[in-house]
Amino acid sequence: MNSTSNVLVLQARDRQTLGALAENGFMDTDMIHEHHFAAVSQRRCRQRLSQYQEHGLTRVLNLRLWTSEQSRRAPVVHSLTERGVGFVQSHSPMRPMRVSKLEPQASTIHHRLSIVRTKLVLDEASQSLGLVPPESLLDGSKTAIHSRVMTCRRINVATCITCSESLCV
């Protein structure tokens, strides 16, 4: 950090963004921009996310391999650090549910981002209808994450209806 960037003043949007990272575990830059920085440019969103990282609130997951039908570039994936957890805890009565100290396995990143993306859509739709968003979509158990799966018992493989990923059962 240079001497001019020693102080980071967190606005309401910053608290909401860090809270969303705590709730979801991690989000890519496009998700954060769409849900928290839609009123500003992608560039400004990336600058602010970089400031979070410089001040030790977030970290960027290192993706070595990425394959997606929709994009040829790997997304930049953000998650909270312990310092970020402390900040969220100081502004919330309970510990964030989705904070991982370890980097997720590379083979699950695409799937987990799809689950978070689906959760954000469901939350937004629920709020627009005045309903309480569903709580269990990101529960740690496979049955909650993949609440609707189609199972082929002969080969012990299930397909998640949310993101079409095959899962061993």
Side-chain angles (χ1 to χ4, degrees):
M1 274 185 287
N2 63 37
S3 61
T4 61
S5 66
N6 285 339
V7 177
L8 177 65
V9 179
L10 295 173
Q11 307 296 324
R13 174 178 61 198
D14 300 315
R15 289 188 292 275
Q16 292 169 352
T17 302
L18 295 170
L21 283 169
E23 182 179 338
N24 296 306
F26 54 81
M27 299 169 70
D28 67 27
T29 302
D30 290 341
M31 286 181 209
I32 294 171
H33 180 258
E34 179 181 344
H35 293 277
H36 299 284
F37 288 84
V40 300
S41 68
Q42 274 269 355
R43 181 173 180 240
R44 179 64 190 122
C45 176
R46 287 190 307 270
Q47 288 172 340
R48 193 61 171 176
L49 292 172
S50 181
Q51 289 174 334
Y52 297 164
Q53 189 177 359
E54 287 172 12
H55 285 82
L57 297 171
T58 63
R59 64 188 172 117
V60 173
L61 302 179
N62 189 7
L63 300 179
R64 289 183 170 82
L65 177 63
W66 180 259
T67 59
S68 173
E69 303 79 37
Q70 298 135 341
S71 175
R72 295 194 186 273
R73 64 177 172 84
V76 177
V77 180
H78 307 269
S79 67
L80 288 180
T81 62
E82 282 301 313
R83 184 172 183 192
V85 170
F87 173 81
V88 172
Q89 282 180 315
S90 70
H91 288 82
S92 173
M94 64 178 67
R95 180 169 172 79
M97 295 173 47
R98 299 276 148 221
V99 178
S100 175
K101 293 181 182 178
L102 303 173
E103 287 204 20
Q105 295 177 354
S107 61
T108 66
I109 296 275
H110 185 265
H111 173 74
R112 290 177 68 185
L113 283 173
S114 295
I115 296 295
V116 170
R117 193 171 284 109
T118 300
K119 179 193 174 297
L120 293 172
V121 168
L122 288 173
D123 288 353
E124 192 173 282
S126 297
Q127 289 173 355
S128 72
L129 295 171
L131 302 172
V132 176
E135 293 180 24
S136 64
L137 188 64
L138 290 176
D139 189 339
S141 69
K142 287 225 182 235
T143 56
I145 292 173
H146 306 287
S147 57
R148 297 186 59 199
V149 295
M150 299 181 307
T151 305
C152 177
R153 299 218 185 273
R154 290 182 296 166
I155 57 173
N156 294 329
V157 172
T159 302
C160 177
I161 292 174
T162 304
C163 66
S164 301
E165 180 171 312
S166 294
L167 306 163
C168 293
V169 291

